[in-house]
Amino acid sequence: MRISDKLLQVKELHKTYGKGQSETSALKGITFDVLPGEFLGIMGASGSGKTTLLNCIATMLKPTSGNILLDGQNISSFKGSQLAKYRGSKIGYLFQNFELLDNLTARENIVLPLSIHGENPKNQVAKLQKLAKQLDIDDVLNKFPSQMSGGQKQRVAAARALISNPSIVLADEPTGALDTKNAKVLMEKLSSINHTDGATILMVTHDANAASFCSRILFIQDGVIFHELRKKVPGESQNSFYERILTVLAQLGGGSSNVL
Amino acid sequence: MFFDFIKRNSRKTRKENGVYFASLIISIIAFYVILSLGEQDVMIYLKTVESDAVARLLLMIPMLYAVSLFFVFFLVYFANKYQLQLRNHEFGLYLMMGMKRSKLFAMIMGETLWNGLIALIIGIPVSLFLTELISLATSRLIGMGIIGHQFHISWVGLGLTVVGFILVQLVAMFILSFKMSRKEPVDLLNDQKEETQRILSPAWSIVSLLTGAVFLLGAIFLCIAYGLAILYLRSLDYKIFALILIVGIAGTFMLFRGLGSLIGAWIKRKSRSSTGLFVFTGRQLQENVLNQWGSLAISSLLILMAMVSFTYGISTALNNSDASSKTADFTFRGSEKEIVSVLKSEKLESYVKEFYAMKVGHFRTPDTENSENEAPSAFSWSGLLESISSEVKSQEKDILLSNLTARESPYLISLSSYNKLLSSINQSPIKLENDEVALYSDEEWSHSHGLLRSVLQSNPIVSIGEKQYKLTSKLYTSNVVADRAITLSYALIVPDDMYNALAYSSQDSYLLNMVLESNFVKEKGLMQAMYEVDELLKTFGLDYESYLSSMGRQLFYTVAGSYTTFYLGIMFLIIANTVLGLKFLMQQKSTRHRYSTVAMLGASVESLCSSARIQIWLYFGLVISVALISSIFGIWSLLETFPNSININNGTITIVISLILFVVFELCYIWMIQRKSDEEIKKLKEIG
């Protein structure tokens, strides 16, 4: 495999909070790669360091040491305007609580990253329509967030994350605030976009159901990668992958409960 | 420990709400300045000349004070309402950690008191300094070296300032914390979230249609109010006045109510092709307008009131320079012999330039019993009345006609004495032809002078006895006496022999004008010179008056008029701007998460700051522009209503000065709010 094939490279990532006696290590040297078109899940218990990892990749947090390379560029060393350029254009975000601007309509929310990066949204009308169709949000485009259901909000947020053709979409517990039905719809949509358009998605989740849509899952415990699961392609059904995820989670849970 | 806690919290409040805190200090200063008015040098002096008017003004001050207390209450209430709302989560936590409600209440009250105390500690020395400065400046400006300047502290004013200020704060906070104390902790903990998820109206399209209509209606209402104000306000009919007020206020409120959706429609049209943070900026502004249309309307009205007050204040202050014209310096009444002997006495001689008798007498009507044998004569304004009647109908005309017909016989002024008066003020004397007389009217009747002057152009006729006389085409208005020894509405200046034949004047109405030595006046300044001679004259026990009291009266109206209107203007302006600024900052704070989301989507801190700056400009701009448009009409109708007090020549200067003052003030405020907003956004920097 050539280096250029790797979309995202995380190398020896360390992150420590605090100083002196109160120092705590959240990440203790994590290394992994993400390939283009992959749907990667990251799972782990609360406090395992998965959100810290995502925040580092999302450029919301600076790692103490180690590198994060996106398309061969070390984004962990970026500052100010360089960062702003990457956010929203090279990286798309999907948050647990949607983070839609509630005084903007769905359409305005979706095209916001484009206009922020100086692109005229008019040129992307086709892309907007395609995404709206794929995510089934055609009829809410002119509505405000307060007039939508939670599922619709998250799908609008997904459209916003995808509109600028980012290299990678980072999703932080995207199903966390949704009921099971809406969570399923969202995951199906994301996975179909991943399949058809080859969008690369990195998702942090608690939810084994949601994780079963991924093609690969990293399990993190106490700041290190503890296990990795790959969906067997072709052939493995979502159900059997789900079973395997549950087994690992049980081991994880068992492991930590033995320690504590 | 509890006290430390209060101190720490209030320090935080002061730091985070610097604008509000500054406004509190300014309101303290304003309170003291108005309350100590009675102890200012000028006022102390004026009490000696115009004690009645000063007493009336001083009676008005408690009213001004009450009005400003009310407005400050409004400010404190709204500012704290939002501050407390932002702290609801914190309060909920205190309660959950076991703080008693009574203690929480005590804590909030304690913080208010502590902040109030600090504001007083800063505000009072500043206000003492400022009142001294004003006192000194007015003394210098008016050239009043007469009374030695003394450092005054108005203890009553100080007491009332402190009590009023603290009371207003405590009452406002009491109401607010009482409301809050009835909430459950869970509501307090969740309140902030509710606020941020505040929804825009759900039935969007219908509402926007309706509000668009409301906007139009508001604009129409305002136009009606403008029209009414300009056409009918001069008649000072309270019904019309009330109508203008109601229509204007309703119009302003409706305008702002509808403005939000107008902005929405505009954004919708633009949003599909806009780049940068245009949509975000616009929607933030729209939300502000939609949620706070009431405060925006109130602020706009307050700014309008401030503008009108400023214009009025500045024009009264400027008009001082062309106060009522001076003719004689002193006028004496009494026996000629006595007066002349005093004026020629050693003590006074060197001060006196000249003196002359001012012969003014009543026209002898047929029923006037007179020992002398001359035939009593009839008098009629006939020709003048006719000429006036043929003029176009106006209010002045009606008043003039009724004034002239009410008095059958006019006063007469002897030509020689009036000519002496004219020569003493370096004006050319009147030359009367055989059958001519001249018309005199006191400056106080100036409302009719325009009309009279135009009528006189045709030299109308008056009949005295059997004979008819032409009126000269010039109207004479130079005051016959120094002040108000006699005020003549309309009188005739007649040749001396005619005066002697027709005028009746009793011995005790003998008037004598005196003019001071010009070198002496030049050396000492008019006021000081008159004051000195006045002191001397007092020792002789004569009945006299001086131009000093005329000046004093003028000065009083100037000082009173400009002082009170300036005061009100500044109060209105401060309150309007603070409410606006605070509302903006509070909204920005409660929508902090939006700014961080936009930053996450790739907006730089600089572009966020500039978006907020644009929001502030537009937010203030909307309110100010509506207020300015209204104030154009407000000032226009002010000029129409009080043409006497506002000299049109001064009008432009006045308007320019008030505009400059206003713009500088607004720029300072906007700059302050923008700095604060930048600070807030930079706090989000952990993500950049």
Side-chain angles (χ1 to χ4, degrees):
Chain A
M1 194 157 52
R2 284 169 298 141
I3 290 192
S4 59
D5 281 338
K6 295 171 187 166
L7 178 74
L8 179 76
Q9 292 171 279
V10 177
K11 291 179 181 167
E12 274 302 311
L13 205 62
H14 286 266
K15 178 70 192 175
T16 33
Y17 293 108
K19 269 188 183 136
Q21 289 205 321
S22 60
E23 195 177 85
T24 19
S25 292
L27 299 178
K28 298 169 184 162
I30 285 191
T31 303
F32 67 92
D33 299 331
V34 181
L35 301 179
E38 231 185 334
F39 193 165
L40 179 69
I42 292 176
M43 298 191 79
S46 293
S48 60
K50 59 184 190 313
T51 304
T52 304
L53 173 63
L54 191 81
N55 283 344
C56 284
I57 300 172
T59 70
M60 282 196 264
L61 208 59
K62 282 217 182 320
T64 315
S65 69
N67 292 322
I68 303 165
L69 275 69
L70 182 67
D71 284 331
Q73 292 255 35
N74 187 1
I75 57 172
S76 55
S77 67
F78 280 4
K79 282 194 186 86
S81 58
Q82 269 178 311
L83 264 183
K85 236 187 196 164
Y86 256 71
R87 289 175 178 167
S89 66
K90 293 276 182 191
I91 310 172
Y93 303 95
L94 209 52
F95 303 94
Q96 178 172 6
N97 48 359
F98 328 132
E99 297 292 351
L100 292 177
L101 301 187
D102 43 15
N103 54 346
L104 267 62
T105 61
R107 182 193 305 275
E108 289 163 357
N109 262 299
I110 294 169
V111 299
L112 191 59
L114 292 180
S115 37
I116 287 176
H117 289 100
E119 193 176 334
N120 195 330
K122 251 187 184 162
N123 308 332
Q124 297 288 349
V125 173
K127 172 88 179 164
L128 171 68
Q129 274 162 356
K130 186 183 159 210
L131 275 173
K133 206 165 185 177
Q134 279 179 319
L135 291 162
D136 195 18
I137 46 170
D138 295 89
D139 47 346
V140 296
L141 280 182
N142 288 322
K143 287 186 178 171
F144 287 90
S146 58
Q147 296 162 275
M148 302 176 208
S149 72
Q152 285 170 329
K153 282 187 207 173
Q154 193 59 303
R155 276 177 274 142
V156 169
R160 183 177 67 183
L162 290 160
I163 188 84
S164 52
N165 286 321
S167 305
I168 190 166
V169 173
L170 302 177
D172 184 9
E173 304 267 10
T175 57
L178 301 180
D179 57 46
T180 33
K181 189 177 152 244
N182 271 310
K184 191 162 177 264
V185 173
L186 176 76
M187 289 318 296
E188 279 169 2
K189 302 278 180 205
L190 282 182
S191 130
S192 96
I193 289 172
N194 169 250
H195 281 301
T196 55
D197 303 348
T200 315
I201 302 171
L202 192 156
M203 175 176 77
V204 163
T205 186
H206 258 115
D207 181 0
N209 244 324
S212 67
F213 285 88
C214 298
S215 54
R216 180 161 69 109
I217 297 167
L218 297 175
F219 292 87
I220 293 184
Q221 192 173 36
D222 300 329
V224 290
I225 294 179
F226 161 86
H227 193 70
E228 183 178 336
L229 273 187
R230 252 174 227 278
K231 199 183 219 170
K232 287 165 192 153
V233 195
E236 187 173 14
S237 72
Q238 200 174 336
N239 253 337
S240 76
F241 192 43
Y242 176 66
E243 295 294 328
R244 285 206 289 146
I245 295 168
L246 282 188
T247 319
V248 178
L249 282 180
Q251 281 173 1
L252 262 173
S256 58
S257 66
N258 283 344
V259 176
L260 291 171
Chain B
M1 158 64 194
F2 186 57
F3 186 61
D4 280 342
F5 192 56
I6 286 176
K7 275 206 306 204
R8 217 177 25 244
N9 275 342
S10 29
R11 195 182 314 129
K12 204 175 127 210
T13 315
R14 282 201 303 281
K15 241 181 122 180
E16 289 188 356
N17 295 293
V19 179
Y20 167 65
F21 192 66
S23 305
L24 284 186
I25 293 174
I26 297 177
S27 64
I28 292 173
I29 297 170
F31 279 165
Y32 180 76
V33 167
I34 194 77
L35 285 170
S36 66
L37 182 61
E39 316 251 338
Q40 292 244 319
D41 287 343
V42 193
M43 280 296 157
I44 291 174
Y45 164 68
L46 287 177
K47 269 181 199 161
T48 60
V49 258
E50 278 290 318
S51 55
D52 281 359
V54 172
R56 248 179 295 145
L57 174 78
L58 293 183
L59 273 179
M60 228 176 79
I61 285 177
M63 223 170 68
L64 280 179
Y65 177 60
V67 170
S68 23
L69 272 185
F70 170 75
F71 279 112
V72 172
F73 172 80
F74 172 77
L75 171 73
V76 172
Y77 182 84
F78 277 97
N80 281 297
K81 190 176 159 198
Y82 289 96
Q83 273 163 37
L84 288 181
Q85 234 165 46
L86 284 180
R87 289 178 68 190
N88 266 347
H89 188 78
E90 179 190 334
F91 295 146
L93 273 178
Y94 291 149
L95 287 179
M96 287 313 292
M97 287 191 288
M99 191 185 257
K100 274 196 221 152
R101 274 176 201 279
S102 57
K103 195 150 190 189
L104 182 64
F105 180 75
M107 189 187 86
I108 296 174
M109 285 307 203
E111 284 179 31
T112 312
L113 271 180
W114 184 246
N115 270 337
L117 214 65
I118 291 179
L120 281 172
I121 289 171
I122 302 172
I124 285 175
V126 176
S127 50
L128 287 178
F129 175 73
L130 198 73
T131 40
E132 278 307 289
L133 208 68
I134 296 173
S135 202
L136 266 174
T138 32
S139 303
R140 287 283 166 278
L141 262 177
I142 305 160
M144 210 173 48
I146 307 161
I147 311 140
H149 173 74
Q150 271 184 320
F151 180 72
H152 288 290
I153 293 185
S154 161
W155 292 108
V156 181
L158 205 61
L160 280 174
T161 304
V162 173
V163 170
F165 178 72
I166 294 285
L167 203 71
V168 157
Q169 295 218 41
L170 284 185
V171 171
M173 290 309 273
F174 185 83
I175 298 171
L176 285 171
S177 32
F178 180 73
K179 271 189 188 165
M180 206 184 60
S181 70
R182 295 199 311 192
K183 281 189 187 164
E184 292 294 320
V186 66
D187 293 330
L188 288 176
L189 282 168
N190 292 333
D191 199 61
Q192 207 172 5
K193 207 170 170 204
E194 260 170 49
E195 185 66 19
T196 57
Q197 295 288 329
R198 189 111 149 240
I199 54 166
L200 294 167
S201 200
W204 184 248
S205 51
I206 301 167
V207 167
S208 83
L209 259 180
L210 274 179
T211 46
V214 167
F215 177 81
L216 258 180
L217 209 63
I220 293 170
F221 267 41
L222 268 182
C223 290
I224 294 175
Y226 295 156
L228 281 177
I230 284 164
L231 292 176
Y232 298 113
L233 198 61
R234 61 198 316 188
S235 61
L236 280 179
D237 181 349
Y238 69 92
K239 275 188 212 151
I240 294 279
F241 187 63
L243 184 69
I244 292 169
L245 272 188
I246 292 168
V247 173
I249 290 171
T252 311
F253 271 89
M254 283 154 127
L255 196 77
F256 281 102
R257 181 68 189 85
L259 199 60
S261 55
L262 210 71
I263 298 172
W266 180 60
I267 293 168
K268 223 172 204 166
R269 212 160 52 82
K270 281 265 202 167
S271 70
R272 297 195 181 199
S273 58
S274 64
T275 57
L277 287 175
F278 171 82
V279 176
F280 175 71
T281 308
R283 289 288 188 198
Q284 286 288 98
L285 178 73
Q286 185 199 9
E287 192 181 46
N288 259 325
V289 175
L290 273 180
N291 289 340
Q292 300 163 8
W293 56 276
S295 322
L296 292 184
I298 292 174
S299 299
S300 187
L301 289 171
L302 283 175
I303 292 176
L304 162 68
M305 273 151 69
M307 284 300 288
V308 175
S309 301
F310 277 146
T311 316
Y312 189 81
I314 291 175
S315 68
T316 15
L318 282 180
N319 263 8
N320 182 39
S321 50
D322 44 72
S324 79
S325 56
K326 180 177 83 83
T327 48
D329 294 325
F330 288 86
T331 297
F332 299 86
R333 187 202 293 270
S335 98
E336 183 178 1
K337 236 165 122 190
E338 213 178 311
I339 300 166
V340 172
S341 75
V342 168
L343 291 182
K344 288 203 163 166
S345 70
E346 233 174 275
K347 260 181 165 178
L348 272 167
E349 212 183 356
S350 56
Y351 297 113
V352 181
K353 184 182 171 199
E354 57 174 336
F355 55 86
Y356 53 86
M358 176 47 71
K359 289 188 191 160
V360 174
H362 209 254
F363 184 81
R364 265 184 284 194
T365 46
D367 48 338
T368 311
E369 289 296 319
N370 207 312
S371 57
E372 285 170 52
N373 228 358
E374 284 146 46
S377 330
F379 174 83
S380 154
W381 290 107
S382 56
L384 182 65
L385 287 179
E386 266 169 43
S387 307
I388 295 170
S389 305
S390 61
E391 289 287 308
V392 276
K393 191 174 162 46
S394 72
Q395 214 176 350
E396 283 85 43
K397 180 182 147 187
D398 295 342
I399 295 171
L400 184 58
L401 280 177
S402 70
N403 274 349
L404 286 176
T405 44
R407 292 206 101 193
E408 271 296 299
S409 55
Y411 263 91
L412 299 178
I413 303 167
S414 109
L415 178 66
S416 65
S417 54
Y418 199 77
N419 273 342
K420 268 184 194 146
L421 181 141
L422 286 177
S423 78
S424 79
I425 54 172
N426 295 326
Q427 282 187 17
S428 53
I430 312 170
K431 284 191 187 108
L432 292 178
E433 301 293 320
N434 241 346
D435 54 350
E436 260 188 350
V437 291
L439 189 64
Y440 168 88
S441 173
D442 228 57
E443 272 177 351
E444 266 179 60
W445 273 265
S446 62
H447 55 87
S448 65
H449 288 178
L451 183 64
L452 271 179
R453 284 198 176 98
S454 76
V455 168
L456 286 178
Q457 292 311 313
S458 62
N459 299 92
I461 281 166
V462 291
S463 50
I464 302 171
E466 254 95 274
K467 264 189 94 177
Q468 301 213 316
Y469 293 87
K470 265 201 298 185
L471 286 172
T472 57
S473 49
K474 192 174 172 194
L475 176 72
Y476 293 88
T477 58
S478 304
N479 196 357
V480 285
V481 286
D483 183 29
R484 283 176 163 173
I486 187 162
T487 49
L488 303 172
S489 50
Y490 305 101
L492 290 174
I493 301 170
V494 297
D496 284 20
D497 48 344
M498 192 171 153
Y499 176 85
N500 291 333
L502 296 174
Y504 166 80
S505 62
S506 61
Q507 195 53 42
D508 60 301
S509 65
Y510 175 81
L511 297 169
L512 187 134
N513 282 341
M514 185 262 265
V515 181
L516 289 174
E517 188 58 53
S518 40
N519 286 335
F520 171 59
V521 172
K522 223 178 252 168
E523 185 188 329
K524 293 266 178 176
L526 180 63
M527 207 141 185
Q528 184 104 39
M530 271 197 285
Y531 194 74
E532 229 179 288
V533 175
D534 190 70
E535 291 290 297
L536 262 177
L537 280 170
K538 269 182 192 161
T539 57
F540 291 97
L542 289 176
D543 179 11
Y544 70 93
E545 62 164 26
S546 71
Y547 184 62
L548 200 60
S549 43
S550 173
M551 268 173 92
R553 199 177 313 114
Q554 208 67 36
L555 189 63
F556 167 75
Y557 288 119
T558 306
V559 171
S562 52
Y563 216 94
T564 47
T565 43
F566 262 129
Y567 169 78
L568 282 178
I570 286 176
M571 278 313 253
F572 291 149
L573 210 53
I574 287 169
I575 287 162
N577 279 292
T578 310
V579 167
L580 272 186
L582 282 183
K583 289 237 160 174
F584 180 86
L585 290 176
M586 295 295 160
Q587 193 241 15
Q588 193 181 38
K589 226 175 203 172
S590 68
T591 59
R592 250 190 99 167
H593 63 288
R594 289 188 195 151
Y595 284 85
S596 53
T597 305
V598 175
M600 277 309 301
L601 295 176
S604 61
V605 174
E606 293 76 38
S607 64
L608 280 175
C609 284
S610 79
S611 158
R613 279 164 176 271
I614 295 169
Q615 285 176 46
I616 294 168
W617 269 111
L618 291 173
Y619 184 66
F620 274 81
L622 279 177
V623 175
I624 292 170
S625 49
V626 172
L628 273 185
I629 293 171
S630 296
S631 65
I632 290 174
F633 290 93
I635 291 168
W636 187 352
S637 51
L638 188 76
L639 290 170
E640 294 273 324
T641 316
F642 304 104
N644 299 334
S645 54
I646 296 168
N647 194 323
I648 303 292
N649 295 331
N650 277 340
T652 12
I653 309 171
T654 307
I655 290 163
V656 168
I657 294 178
S658 5
L659 257 182
I660 290 173
L661 272 180
F662 173 74
V663 167
V664 167
F665 186 90
E666 288 299 332
L667 283 181
C668 286
Y669 240 96
I670 290 174
W671 177 76
M672 231 160 49
I673 304 287
Q674 285 185 334
R675 259 191 50 164
K676 193 79 202 144
S677 135
D678 283 357
E679 251 171 58
E680 279 296 314
I681 291 170
K682 280 176 185 149
K683 274 192 203 158
L684 300 169
K685 220 189 160 186
E686 57 261 36
I687 46 137

